[in-house]
Amino acid sequence: MRRLFLLCSLALTLVYAKDGVEFKYAPKNLERTYPTAQNQILSYNNILENVRTSIVNISIKKEVSSNQLGANPFFNDPLFKEFFKGYGDIPQDRIQQALGSGVVVSQDGYIVTNNHVVEDANKIIVNLAGDKKEYEAKLIGKDEKSDLAIIKIEAKNLNAITFYDSDKVKVGDVVFALGNPFGVGETITQGIVSATGRSGVGIVEYEDFIQTDASINPGNSGGALINSAGHLIGINSAIISKSGGNVGIGFAIPSNMVTTVATSLIDSGKYTRAYLGVNISDISDDMSKFYNDNYGALITSVEDNSPAAKAGLKRGDLIIEINDKKIGSASELKNTIGSYAPSKTVTVKFLRDKKVDTKNVMLATLDSKTVNGELEYKGLKLTQINSTHKQQLNITINGVLVINVDEKSEAYSAGVRKNDIIIQVEDNEIATLDDFKKATSSKDKKRVFIYRKGYILAIVL
């Protein structure tokens, strides 16, 4: 008994054995510490009062078609519209309104928000906290792959938010989500950081989310996730929910990614990612044994004439560091390379045959490069048709399939739509992505022949 009392008095963890299994028990005399007394109130008001004026309300107006007739270029022909005038067969466009949030990042009016908040907007209106004036904003630039956009209003002496290094954010940190959900006015919700480095969620192409249980409701998109010191650690982006309501799983784009993308958008109106030229995957526990129990991004293929090929990287290499930053997964490598500007030289540390090696690699641009079997060209995202596509689309022809079209692109204006199949460029029949790249290697406009639902049309692109 005396021995037990001594263990308790030293506030050590007690261990009891039962049926050969030891269970750990906390000391029985742990003291509770109360954050406040009856004559004190625990509050973050001083922190939040300062940062709340950095959060803005964003409302947009955009024209949307009430059907999908616009997918056929013939419906844009004025003669065609005149022919059906009065028959009601071509519904009129209507105005759609939406609400979101944004964060002031400079005193002279630059504001960061989500791309999906301002996408396709014909008019962007910004309301500042405590200011009854409405400001019309100009879209400076956007990056769909990270879901970030920069807008600007003509205003001065705004309260720009203070950024925090998101690499230093820890699970369990107290955080606040600020925004304007449902257009009811400023709201603030509290929670903690549930996880960092979340990827594979399927929201955008480049994912490195901070996960939080602080409520992120509709209208909070583009708002701020701040720490208890009032510093920005992320831009609220999305939630996981079956009903649309908050269930405690929200995602924010980390501040380090925000600063990288936002700086480029402000400087040039676009964000161009660097390109390494490898296809990569994660590795299993069994696979890691072949790499001295290390994890990283496994190279599964190297593209010809790519930066990786020129540096001598090979299939089977496991990339574990980029510029001394540890790489633990394929998504970490993708995000890290994507954060650099083209033409930057990086040091790649990798494992080959259980030996560590390093290579200096000069990165290239991602524009018009084939990545994971997909090619980006003038706002189009293309992939080569395979047997699965043929079965799904009930076709037998060869070509390259349009899997996405930027609605602001030249290709969209020319009439190219998702699920179109490009079968010929000028006199060159197209069967592969390489065929398409060779046929479009010059900058001259070309005739492009497209197969769409049983008929073939020609456009100039």
Side-chain angles (χ1 to χ4, degrees), residues 410-461:
E410 177 186 348
Y412 187 89
S413 299
V416 185
R417 296 295 182 267
K418 183 178 179 180
N419 288 332
D420 283 351
I421 300 168
I422 298 175
I423 58 175
Q424 186 172 322
V425 177
E426 288 296 336
D427 296 328
N428 305 296
E429 292 192 3
I430 305 299
T432 67
L433 291 176
D434 284 338
D435 291 341
F436 182 84
K437 284 196 287 186
K438 291 177 183 177
T440 57
S441 58
S442 70
K443 295 183 179 180
D444 299 332
K445 287 186 178 292
K446 298 174 177 62
R447 293 171 299 159
V448 178
F449 295 87
I450 292 173
Y451 174 90
R452 179 187 296 166
K453 296 181 179 179
Y455 67 94
I456 296 174
L457 58 95
I459 64 167
V460 176
L461 183 62

Side-chain angles (χ1 to χ4, degrees), residues 297-373:
L298 179 66
I299 297 177
T300 57
S301 65
V302 179
E303 295 179 26
D304 294 338
N305 299 316
S306 67
K310 293 174 182 177
L313 294 174
K314 297 165 51 177
R315 177 189 290 118
D317 291 346
L318 183 74
I319 297 177
I320 56 175
E321 284 186 17
I322 299 289
N323 282 355
D324 296 324
K325 180 180 179 180
K326 292 190 179 299
I327 302 297
S329 66
S331 63
E332 285 187 15
L333 177 64
K334 180 180 179 180
N335 289 328
T336 300
I337 295 298
S339 69
Y340 291 120
S343 301
K344 181 177 178 61
T345 299
V346 297
T347 301
V348 179
K349 181 181 287 189
F350 60 95
L351 277 160
R352 179 186 294 173
D353 299 327
K354 294 192 174 183
K355 295 180 181 178
V356 177
D357 198 358
T358 59
K359 298 280 187 182
N360 291 326
V361 183
M362 178 179 286
L363 302 175
T365 177
L366 187 60
D367 292 343
S368 298
K369 296 291 183 180
T370 306
V371 180
N372 293 327

Side-chain angles (χ1 to χ4, degrees), residues 49-55 104-107 157-161:
E49 188 64 23
N50 176 61
V51 78
R52 57 179 284 275
T53 54
S54 301
I55 314 303
V104 176
V105 295
S106 74
Q107 290 185 330
N157 300 319
L158 301 182
N159 183 25
I161 202 152

